[in-house]
Amino acid sequence: MTVGKKVLMGMTSAELKETVKALGMPAFTGGQIARWLYQQHVMSIDEMTNISKQNRERLKALYTVGTMAPIDCQRSVDGTVKYLFPVCCDSDTTDTKGRFVETVFIPDEDRATLCVSSQVGCKMNCLFCQTGKQGWEGNLTAADILNQIYSLPERDRLTNVVFMGQGEPMDNLDAVLRVTQILTADDGYQWSPKRITVSSVGVRSKLKRFLDESQCHVAISMHSPLHEQRLGLMPAERAMPIAETVDLLRQYDFTHQRRCSFEYICFAGLNDTLAHGREIVKLVQGLECRVNLIRFHAIPGVDLPGADEQRMERLRDFLTQHGVFTTIRASRGQDIFAACGLLSTAHKNPIGPMGPISPISPI
């Protein structure tokens, strides 16, 4: 990306129209640029051939598309691919240039899901999550979030995007909402909101805004229905109790296409008992939702026992029998540290806790 130029990617159609008007061009040119970016996926302004050469030169003097290809990838035996993307844009509050984020592509028969990151690291410090051990190094801009989709080699195969990579999406809500707006806009990607799921530990004020301003699916990290136990696993429980989060969710309609789900990592003998099942049933009573049970993937320095298949099936069957639709999520990409809770770029970021980055060969 050209140093010193502003980035077009990540702008909405309305913002693009204001941008071109400020340069003395007709407003409709902004709509043309939006379609070139988000429907044709051009890599340069010169490819926008229905814009006059004179206007393209005006744009090029100040702007660039803003794409950055992944600089490394790892491929799992199960077909999952983990990409390393450079962060190229500064956010309004943090300097994230020179850092990196991980993005995971998960093919599965007729579905292809991309797990995108919204921050470099994460503030939430959940006990079981490697990203939390990295700490928070900055928010991604809308351009850097969108680039994980735009510059993905398998982009045209995507059926779904989940904001479940590095970071707490609600902690960077302005950028996340901007990306979901572009993905669902008529002159954007033209996706249905039901192809997009945004996760959260339950940042109450931000979650309410997301539910009000977006029709995308929401996934809440529960991991225990009990306050004290969840607090031990997730420090965010102190300010964002799961009971209050569920009360907020009850104010919204999930009986049609929009979906509410709860993520639940199972720890043997800790949160996977039938007593926990009864508390989950009580907690979500009256809320149209589903529970996704997830295997725990061990991380260094954390002494938590993962539940085996039999224990997870017993909890799934109990919840299902008591009216809570429950599935066991297939674990993907564990051999390349791409599975749930394993993403981290701490050792790759220049000022990360593990020191300077090593040279990485382009793919």
Side-chain angles (χ1 to χ4, degrees):
M1 190 177 68
T2 306
V3 176
K5 292 188 178 182
K6 297 179 181 179
V7 172
L8 294 174
M9 186 166 59
M11 290 189 186
T12 65
S13 178
E15 289 167 337
L16 288 167
K17 288 174 182 176
E18 289 302 314
T19 295
V20 298
K21 284 168 61 178
L23 294 176
M25 305 179 200
F28 70 79
T29 303
Q32 292 175 313
I33 295 172
R35 290 186 287 275
W36 280 114
L37 291 174
Y38 306 131
Q39 295 175 13
Q40 302 299 320
H41 297 103
V42 298
M43 306 303 288
S44 71
I45 293 172
D46 282 330
E47 295 176 68
M48 303 178 184
T49 51
N50 63 349
I51 299 173
S52 72
K53 182 175 176 56
Q54 181 183 19
N55 283 340
R56 276 182 275 153
E57 292 301 322
R58 287 187 197 174
L59 280 171
K60 285 164 54 180
L62 298 173
Y63 292 90
T64 183
V65 170
T67 61
M68 291 284 283
I71 62 169
D72 196 17
C73 74
Q74 293 175 278
R75 298 182 184 275
S76 168
V77 294
D78 64 22
T80 299
V81 187
K82 182 172 71 172
Y83 288 102
L84 183 68
F85 278 96
V87 178
C88 52
C89 300
D90 291 345
S91 72
D92 292 338
T93 56
T94 55
D95 179 3
T96 51
K97 282 184 179 177
R99 292 172 174 78
F100 302 86
V101 290
E102 293 183 325
T103 306
V104 182
F105 174 71
I106 310 167
D108 185 16
E109 296 181 355
D110 60 343
R111 290 172 61 89
T113 300
L114 188 68
C115 181
V116 300
S117 295
S118 56
Q119 295 180 308
V120 183
C122 184
K123 295 178 182 177
M124 299 302 148
N125 196 27
C126 296
L127 177 63
F128 46 81
C129 181
Q130 188 66 42
T131 308
K133 308 307 175 193
Q134 178 176 342
W136 181 74
E137 296 183 33
N139 286 330
L140 297 184
T141 63
D144 276 313
I145 297 173
L146 196 59
N147 184 60
Q148 296 168 65
I149 303 168
Y150 199 103
S151 298
L152 184 79
E154 299 89 351
R155 180 192 62 224
D156 294 338
R157 294 171 55 189
L158 289 180
T159 60
N160 300 83
V161 166
V162 295
F163 286 75
M164 296 181 182
Q166 293 175 259
E168 162 57 55
M170 301 299 161
D171 201 32
N172 189 18
L173 184 57
D174 286 341
V176 168
L177 282 175
R178 181 185 294 265
V179 172
T180 60
Q181 180 183 350
I182 290 168
L183 290 175
T184 57
D186 289 340
D187 47 9
Y189 278 67
Q190 299 180 316
W191 279 26
S192 164
K194 66 182 180 180
R195 296 174 63 178
I196 305 165
T197 301
V198 180
S199 69
S200 178
V201 300
V203 184
R204 185 177 177 85
S205 60
K206 301 290 184 67
L207 178 59
K208 184 179 189 310
R209 182 181 159 204
F210 170 78
L211 292 167
D212 288 338
E213 296 183 20
S214 168
Q215 285 300 308
C216 297
H217 300 321
V218 63
I220 301 298
S221 297
M222 180 190 295
H223 309 305
S224 176
L226 306 174
H227 173 72
E228 290 299 329
Q229 186 177 64
R230 188 172 188 257
L231 181 59
L233 295 169
M234 306 171 64
E237 169 71 8
R238 188 177 305 280
M240 311 160 201
I242 188 64
E244 292 185 9
T245 298
V246 173
D247 285 343
L248 173 63
L249 292 167
R250 284 199 182 93
Q251 300 173 26
Y252 295 84
D253 183 6
F254 296 103
T255 60
H256 299 291
Q257 290 190 337
R258 193 180 200 185
R259 188 170 66 235
C260 171
S261 59
F262 292 94
E263 310 296 280
Y264 199 94
I265 296 177
C266 292
F267 306 106
L270 183 67
N271 69 345
D272 66 343
T273 69
L274 296 187
H276 285 88
R278 285 189 284 273
E279 292 299 321
I280 293 172
V281 172
K282 188 187 305 182
L283 177 66
V284 303
Q285 186 175 13
L287 176 64
E288 185 71 24
C289 65
R290 63 177 63 194
V291 172
N292 296 318
L293 302 182
I294 303 169
R295 293 167 182 80
F296 173 57
H297 304 106
I299 62 175
V302 176
D303 186 21
L304 287 171
D308 60 26
E309 195 74 15
Q310 184 177 6
R311 296 183 71 96
M312 293 181 71
E313 289 176 353
R314 183 181 66 170
L315 181 57
R316 177 199 63 191
D317 294 345
F318 177 87
L319 292 173
T320 300
Q321 290 163 9
H322 288 78
V324 181
F325 180 71
T326 305
T327 63
I328 297 176
R329 179 181 293 168
S331 182
R332 300 290 300 272
Q334 187 172 358
D335 57 322
I336 58 170
F337 297 93
C340 182
L342 296 182
L343 298 186
S344 176
T345 50
H347 70 290
K348 299 180 179 72
N349 291 326
I351 62 168
M354 301 297 287
I357 186 171
S358 302
I360 298 175
S361 300
I363 58 173

